[in-house]
Amino acid sequence: MNTIKIKFIAALTLVSLLVGAIVLILTPYMVKHEIVENALEHRSNTFEKSIKHFIEEHGSWGSAGDAVAFANSADFRLVEEVSDINQIPIKVTVFDQNGHVLHSGSGFTIGSRVDIGSMEDPEEIYVRDEVVAYMAATGDVQLSPWEKAYLHTLEETLFFSVLMAIITILPFGIWHGSRLVYSLKHLTRAVNSMAEGKLQQQVPINSGDEVGVLAQAFNSMNQQLVSAYKELETSRNLIADQAEKLKELSIRDELTGLYNRRFFNEEGATLMASSVRYNQPLSIVLGDVDHFKKINDNYSHATGDAVLKQVSKILQQGVRASDLVARFGGEEMVLALPNTSLPEATEMIDRIRAAIADYPWSDVAEGLSVTMSFGVSADESVQSLERRLDLADTELYRAKREGRNRVCACEPA
């Protein structure tokens, strides 16, 4: 960033030197030119009067003889006396409209003829709105000692003026360059921070120039970007929440809130594979509400639904966070108990069975009594979820046959 500051100062210095050089070169030239122009204008006016008087006296003009006659006439001597023509700071040649030399400043002969087109920017002399002669400067400017001293003083004054201007401009350039670099550093730092993920950025506005406008535009853009990002994050979180809710709805049983059978089959297969891989026990339990059809018939389907909801709560309260409980279908529930041996599973499920039997069902419906039967399978030699479910189902039916409200377990072979 310091490169910009150096370039800015260098540009100011270069411009100052360039302007100073132009002034130092052009001013003396223009002064010399103005001296010559003023002298030529004065002599031109004098020649005009003299030529006019000559024409009125002699009645002719424009020939070589007229040129010689004019040069030897009292009118020309009047020119020399009045204008001091030989003191002009540059040699001049005067010739009539046909090119005949009236006064020679560079070796021409009076009365000889010159090519008007070859003379550089001759001064026209008019009489009654007609060009009767020309005056052209020839040779170098010959300045007087006073004029030379004046030009020398002028050149010195200009030189020291330019030097002082540069000395004055440099501190200003350093100060202004520092301000410019300071503002750009803030902008660069803010942009880099945004690139690193720190979106909330604001930079100071120290001026009303283009850099200040850029800083203001950056702040406005940053605010809009941050606002848009927050809205996007809000929308993204909302979508994620909605997706999570939809996912939860898709894997939950609507009535009981337990996982559904499809989810149990997927998660149960994962638990089964982990059990086989790491040689850890996994107990599978199937449970069924005893005489559920009679509950629906004798009370109502609403009472049956209330029974299923309460049974589901008791099941969830009786298991661990790592255990999986699902509604397998109708009044049938299924459980997967990882890292749980058959005796441990049987003990846990028997506590749950007792809790269901002891629940005050009369609060749900007068005279209502609810029990559940369970079948447990934990044979590690059976490495298929479907086969363990079949074994648990066999034990469940055995519990039903033996009087219900009991837990039957499949002993390993």
Side-chain angles (χ1 to χ4, degrees), residues 284-296:
I284 301 298
V285 182
L286 275 175
D288 188 83
V289 178
D290 296 329
H291 302 297
F292 185 72
K293 186 176 184 302
K294 290 183 179 179
I295 294 174
N296 283 331

Side-chain angles (χ1 to χ4, degrees), residues 44-236:
S44 176
N45 291 336
T46 306
F47 267 109
E48 179 184 339
K49 294 176 183 179
S50 300
I51 292 171
K52 179 180 179 183
H53 186 265
F54 180 86
I55 293 173
E56 290 174 350
E57 286 288 326
H58 295 82
S60 64
W61 184 257
S63 65
D66 291 331
V68 173
F70 175 77
N72 295 320
S73 68
D75 295 295
F76 184 72
R77 285 195 297 275
L78 178 63
V79 172
E80 290 181 320
E81 292 172 1
V82 174
S83 62
D84 194 13
I85 193 168
N86 294 319
Q87 296 303 315
I88 297 177
I90 190 171
K91 300 290 185 180
V92 296
T93 300
V94 184
F95 45 93
D96 64 19
Q97 74 274 23
N98 296 318
H100 299 108
V101 177
L102 306 176
H103 170 75
S104 175
S106 57
F108 293 107
T109 303
I110 302 299
S112 62
R113 197 165 186 172
V114 299
D115 181 10
I116 297 176
S118 66
M119 307 304 290
E120 183 178 353
D121 193 21
E123 180 79 18
E124 296 174 338
I125 301 174
Y126 290 86
V127 172
R128 298 187 183 91
D129 297 329
E130 292 184 7
V131 177
V132 295
Y134 295 93
M135 178 184 290
T138 56
D140 295 329
V141 178
Q142 301 297 320
L143 299 180
S144 67
W146 181 88
E147 289 170 332
K148 290 180 179 179
Y150 171 77
L151 282 177
H152 180 69
T153 303
L154 181 62
E155 289 173 348
E156 285 186 342
T157 303
L158 289 173
F159 174 78
F160 284 108
S161 297
V162 171
L163 182 61
M164 290 304 297
I166 294 174
I167 294 174
T168 304
I169 287 172
L170 282 178
F172 169 77
I174 294 172
W175 171 75
H176 195 69
S178 298
R179 287 189 63 198
L180 178 64
V181 170
Y182 175 79
S183 299
L184 292 178
K185 276 184 176 179
H186 276 285
L187 280 169
T188 303
R189 190 179 298 116
V191 171
N192 289 335
S193 296
M194 289 180 65
E196 294 172 359
K198 303 172 184 176
L199 292 184
Q200 185 71 49
Q201 299 293 327
Q202 290 291 292
V203 297
I205 302 174
N206 298 320
S207 64
D209 56 14
E210 287 81 355
V211 176
V213 172
L214 178 62
Q216 187 175 8
F218 174 85
N219 289 342
S220 176
M221 179 197 69
N222 181 262
Q223 288 177 349
Q224 295 176 13
L225 180 64
V226 170
S227 177
Y229 180 78
K230 288 181 179 178
E231 291 179 2
L232 179 63
E233 280 296 303
T234 301
S235 299
R236 184 183 297 170

